C-alpha cells in the first residue's frame, strides 16, 4: 500500500502524524483541513489503532459520509473496519438508544423534527391560553432551543427567568418537556442535552464510551455550541487524544448558538495541546486571500 502521507504538504503531514494528546489544527477554507482529518484517521488505523476506538464528528451527514468514503479509499487493500463517522446528533442517538432504559426512560423514543416541535409548542400555548399574537411560537421554540444548547433544562430556566417574556416561556418550556416525555419523544436539542446529563449523572456510562472512543476528531470546531463543547470535553478527558480542526476566523452557525470562543479557548482547556496552522490555500489566488484577510 502506498504511503498516502506523501500526498500532503509539510504542515498537513505534521498534523496527520500528530496522534497522541490534544491537537488543534487551525485551517482556513481551501487549506485542506478535512483532507488532513481523514488522512490522520487513516494513519491512526495504519499505525495499529483499532477503528472501533476512533470517533470522527462533523456537522452534516453528507460530510460524515464523504469522510468515511475518503478513509475507505486511503485504506484500500487493507482489511479493516471503518471508524464511526457521524454528526453530534447521530452519535448521541446511538448512545441514547443503547443507554436510555438505564435512566428510567424508554429507548424507542421518537425524534421530533422542526414541524413536530412547532406543532407541539402551538398545542402547549393553546392549552396554557397564551396568545400567539403576543408570543410567536417560532420565537418561543428558538428560546427553548437556545436554553437547551446551553444545557439549561426547564427547571433551571424557570428558576432564572426574569421578566414577563422569560416567565411565560418558562411555563411553555415546562409543559413542552412534559408532553415530549408523555409522547416518548425527544427534539434535536434534547439529544445532546440528555446525553450530557447522563454522562454527568452516570460516570460508568461515560467511562464506557471514553474507553470505546479513545481517539476523537472534531471537524469545524468553531461551529460547536456549549452543549457540544461539554460533550466533547467529557468524552475526551480520560485519554486526551482529541484532535479538533477549525477556522478561528469563521463561524457559520452563530444562529444555532455556535460559540467561536470554544476554539479560541482550546489551549486553556487542554494546556498540553499541540497547535498546527495550515496556511497554504489551494482554492483561491493570493489576491483573493489578501483581500479576505
Amino acid at each position: 500500500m502506498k504511503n498516502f502521507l506523501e500526498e500532503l504538504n509539510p504542515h498537513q503531514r505534521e498534523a496527520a502524524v500528530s496522534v497522541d494528546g490534544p491537537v488543534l489544527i487551525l485551517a482556513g477554507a481551501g487549506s485542506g483541513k478535512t483532507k488532513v482529518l481523514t488522512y490522520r484517521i487513516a494513519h491512526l488505523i495504519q499505525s495499529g489503532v483499532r477503528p472501533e476506538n476512533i470517533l470522527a464528528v462533523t456537522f452534516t451527514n453528507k460530510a460524515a459520509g464523504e469522510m468515511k468514503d475518503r478513509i475507505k479509499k486511503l485504506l484500500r487493500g487493507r482489511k479493516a473496519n471503518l471508524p464511526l463517522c457521524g454528526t453530534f446528533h447521530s452519535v448521541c442517538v446511538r448512545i441514547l438508544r443503547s443507554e436510555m432504559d438505564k435512566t428510567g426512560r424508554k429507548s424507542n423514543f421518537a425524534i421530533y423534527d422542526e414541524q413536530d416541535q412547532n406543532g407541539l409548542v402551538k398545542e402547549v400555548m393553546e392549552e396554557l391560553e397564551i396568545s400567539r399574537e403576543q408570543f410567536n411560537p417560532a420565537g418561543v421554540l428558538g428560546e427553548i432551543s437556545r436554553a437547551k444548547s446551553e444545557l439549561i433544562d426547564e427547571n433551571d430556566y424557570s428558576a432564572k427567568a426574569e421578566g414577563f417574556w422569560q416567565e411565560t416561556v418558562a411555563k411553555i418550556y415546562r409543559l413542552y418537556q412534559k408532553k415530549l416525555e408523555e409522547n416518548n419523544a425527544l427534539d434535536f436539542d434534547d439529544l445532546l442535552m440528555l446525553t450530557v446529563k447522563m454522562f454527568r449523572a452516570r460516570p460508568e456510562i461515560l467511562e464506557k464510551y471514553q474507553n470505546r472512543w479513545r481517539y476523537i476528531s472534531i471537524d469545524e470546531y468553531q461551529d460547536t455550541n456549549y452543549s457540544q463543547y461539554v460533550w466533547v470535553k467529557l468524552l475526551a478527558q480520560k485519554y486526551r487524544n482529541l484532535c479538533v480542526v477549525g477556522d478561528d476566523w469563521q463561524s457559520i452557525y452563530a444562529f444555532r448558538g455556535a460559540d467561536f470562543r470554544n476554539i479560541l479557548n482550546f489551549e486553556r482547556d487542554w494546556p498540553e495541546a499541540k497547535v498546527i496552522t495550515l496556511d497554504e490555500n489551494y482554492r483561491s489566488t493570493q489576491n483573493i486571500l489578501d483581500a479576505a484577510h
Side-chain angles (χ1 to χ4, degrees):
M1 182 168 64
K2 69 176 181 178
N3 183 2
F4 49 76
L5 295 178
E6 293 175 1
E7 300 171 13
L8 304 177
N9 70 38
H11 285 166
Q12 290 174 331
R13 195 178 307 119
E14 181 188 9
V17 300
S18 299
V19 295
D20 295 316
V23 180
L24 168 62
I25 303 172
L26 294 173
S31 60
K33 59 181 182 293
T34 304
K35 178 180 181 180
V36 167
L37 207 55
T38 55
Y39 277 60
R40 185 177 184 276
I41 292 168
H43 174 66
L44 279 168
I45 296 170
Q46 193 180 49
S47 302
V49 176
R50 295 165 61 189
E52 54 266 36
N53 290 144
I54 300 170
L55 172 66
V57 181
T58 188
F59 274 82
T60 66
N61 290 318
K62 181 182 177 184
E66 288 173 355
M67 187 180 291
K68 190 175 284 189
D69 289 341
R70 285 189 185 188
I71 295 168
K72 190 174 183 179
K73 286 176 183 176
L74 290 172
L75 295 173
R76 187 176 295 157
R78 177 189 173 97
K79 291 184 179 179
N81 296 325
L82 292 176
L84 178 59
C85 300
T87 63
F88 283 98
H89 294 99
S90 68
V91 176
C92 285
V93 169
R94 280 174 173 256
I95 295 170
L96 292 172
R97 292 280 188 218
S98 297
E99 312 295 343
M100 186 76 109
D101 56 344
K102 297 172 187 173
T103 68
R105 292 185 63 173
K106 296 177 182 176
S107 59
N108 62 337
F109 53 83
I111 301 172
Y112 276 15
D113 61 19
E114 193 172 342
Q115 185 175 349
D116 297 325
Q117 293 169 51
N118 270 301
L120 185 57
V121 165
K122 289 174 183 175
E123 178 186 324
V124 167
M125 289 176 66
E126 187 172 341
E127 189 170 322
L128 294 173
E129 298 182 342
I130 295 170
S131 166
R132 289 195 211 171
E133 292 181 3
Q134 272 189 294
F135 292 86
N136 180 277
V140 170
L141 187 58
E143 175 68 1
I144 292 172
S145 177
R146 181 200 63 77
K148 289 184 179 184
S149 73
E150 294 179 9
L151 300 177
I152 300 170
D153 65 17
E154 67 274 27
N155 297 320
D156 291 335
Y157 191 92
S158 293
K160 296 174 182 176
E162 294 182 354
F164 184 56
W165 159 257
Q166 286 192 347
E167 288 168 1
T168 305
V169 171
K171 294 175 187 175
I172 298 169
Y173 187 0
R174 186 176 294 280
L175 186 54
Y176 173 80
Q177 285 302 113
K178 183 171 182 276
K179 286 185 176 290
L180 279 174
E181 193 164 346
E182 287 172 354
N183 296 339
N184 190 28
L186 304 178
D187 65 21
F188 282 113
D189 296 302
D190 283 330
L191 299 174
L192 271 147
M193 186 169 75
L194 291 184
T195 305
V196 169
K197 273 189 168 186
M198 182 166 54
F199 282 169
R200 285 172 163 172
R202 302 288 295 271
E204 74 280 7
I205 294 177
L206 171 60
E207 189 171 26
K208 171 182 174 180
Y209 290 95
Q210 288 174 331
N211 290 334
R212 177 176 299 181
W213 296 316
R214 301 183 182 203
Y215 292 84
I216 300 171
S217 300
I218 311 292
D219 199 8
E220 307 292 0
Y221 190 68
Q222 78 281 348
D223 288 330
T224 52
N225 62 29
Y226 182 68
S227 63
Q228 292 161 341
Y229 159 81
V230 173
W231 184 87
V232 171
K233 198 171 179 184
L234 287 168
L235 270 179
Q237 67 185 3
K238 182 174 182 180
Y239 292 97
R240 304 183 77 80
N241 296 317
L242 171 65
C243 175
V244 305
V245 181
D247 182 355
D248 55 344
W249 286 68
Q250 172 185 308
S251 178
I252 63 172
Y253 288 122
F255 68 96
R256 292 187 193 170
D259 189 344
F260 69 91
R261 288 173 296 185
N262 292 344
I263 197 167
L264 298 180
N265 291 332
F266 188 83
E267 292 172 84
R268 179 203 65 190
D269 295 334
W270 310 92
E272 74 275 35
K274 184 173 187 177
V275 181
I276 300 166
T277 302
L278 306 184
D279 51 9
E280 192 167 344
N281 189 293
Y282 291 93
R283 287 191 205 159
S284 305
T285 66
Q286 192 58 47
N287 285 341
I288 292 174
L289 293 174
D290 289 344
H293 281 296

